[in-house]
Amino acid sequence: MARQDERVPFVAALARARSAAYPPGQDVGQESFMLADEIRRLAHHAGIGPGTAVLDLCCGIAGPGRLITAESGNGYLGVDSSAEAVEIATRLAGDLPCRFVQGDVPPLPAGRFDVVLLLETLLAFPDKAALLRAVAGALDTGGRFACTVEAGRPLSEAERQRMPDADTVWPVEMEQLTELLGDAGLVVTRQEECTAAHATTAAALLRSYRADEADIAARVGPQAAADLVAAHELWVTWLGSGRIRKFAVVAEKR
């Protein structure tokens, strides 16, 4: 059975279902509920443009990062813990001015950046305070941290039992996150709720994964395919009920 961190089989297995789930023009190789236009909007509000030095944390195969770099002309460094993800991202980037490194976060790669991105992955960090201190340390004064947030109370034990890979699911209340950002020297300058949009995308992905489950199972194993469907069933329920709310946030280092 393939694991989620074994990206080669998962990228191949899910490509057709993901392409069918996203509206026309919105599939850019993202591994998330964000659409291409949402990625563009967050990049705009983060002030990404020609020459901006961007660090993309937990970039995966870097669909959003490649889109932003191709359209904005920024400098780009993506980091991910998966060697396979970094290899795929490098290949797909082609001649784009993108660099990629493998590494766990934190720590962050050395250097100073104008923008740090963390898209659809803040959820995976139980110690958000340590992460945000590292982010602030990588930003110049006036630099921006742009992220998406799964906002809500911590999972109950019953919820953790139902969620596959629950050790990567750590929601946070927005009030607490705002305090943690402030403690790290980061001030929220923009906050946009995207719960309804992400609930719609989650439901579309769930339908696609169910329709393609047999083929997905043949490629990554029946348990991995079942876990994928089960996780998306929970996300559809949580986003639809307001148990989890989604936000796009930009915070500036002061």
Side-chain angles (χ1 to χ4, degrees):
M1 182 185 72
R3 302 189 311 272
Q4 281 278 15
D5 61 346
E6 296 172 350
R7 294 297 180 84
V8 171
F10 271 92
V11 168
L14 303 185
R16 182 172 65 184
R18 284 175 171 163
S19 179
Y22 297 117
Q26 298 300 308
D27 178 13
V28 292
Q30 66 269 53
E31 301 168 279
S32 73
F33 299 150
M34 295 187 83
L35 301 182
D37 286 345
E38 293 178 277
I39 296 165
R40 292 184 177 103
R41 187 162 62 248
L42 184 58
H44 169 74
H45 289 302
I48 297 176
T52 305
V54 175
L55 173 63
D56 188 4
L57 304 179
C58 306
C59 66
I61 65 171
R66 289 182 277 114
L67 172 70
I68 293 168
T69 303
E71 294 186 350
S72 300
N74 51 274
Y76 178 91
L77 174 62
V79 57
D80 197 90
S81 62
S82 167
E84 289 190 358
V86 167
E87 181 180 350
I88 295 168
T90 301
R91 173 172 53 81
L92 293 176
D95 294 332
L96 288 171
C98 297
R99 296 185 299 118
F100 300 95
V101 295
Q102 180 191 6
D104 292 326
V105 174
L108 274 57
R112 290 282 184 164
F113 301 90
D114 301 309
V115 175
V116 174
L117 295 175
L118 181 63
L119 305 182
E120 304 288 77
T121 325
L122 182 65
L123 184 73
F125 292 87
D127 188 353
K128 291 175 174 45
L131 170 69
L132 297 176
R133 287 194 299 268
V135 167
L139 287 170
D140 283 321
T141 300
R144 286 81 64 197
F145 174 47
C147 66
T148 54
V149 182
E150 293 80 9
R153 64 185 182 278
L155 299 190
S156 68
E157 186 55 38
E159 288 172 329
R160 302 196 72 78
Q161 290 297 322
R162 294 173 60 201
M163 172 59 78
D165 295 323
D167 60 339
T168 63
V169 182
W170 305 96
V172 60
E173 299 280 9
M174 277 304 304
E175 294 82 359
Q176 181 185 6
L177 180 65
T178 300
E179 291 180 5
L180 292 173
L181 286 164
D183 291 343
L186 299 166
V187 177
V188 173
T189 57
R190 182 174 179 85
Q191 178 177 308
E192 178 181 352
E193 183 161 4
C194 45
T195 305
H198 286 206
T200 297
T201 302
L205 284 166
L206 176 58
R207 289 192 296 270
S208 284
Y209 291 152
R210 282 174 170 163
D212 228 17
E213 188 170 0
D215 183 67
I216 294 170
R219 293 169 178 260
V220 301
Q223 187 60 58
D227 285 349
L228 180 74
V229 169
H232 280 73
E233 287 173 341
L234 284 173
W235 283 117
V236 168
T237 298
W238 290 350
L239 291 168
S241 67
R243 166 65 180 88
I244 298 291
R245 297 169 67 190
K246 290 294 295 289
F247 294 89
V249 173
V250 178
E252 182 177 304
K253 182 174 179 179
R254 299 286 172 83

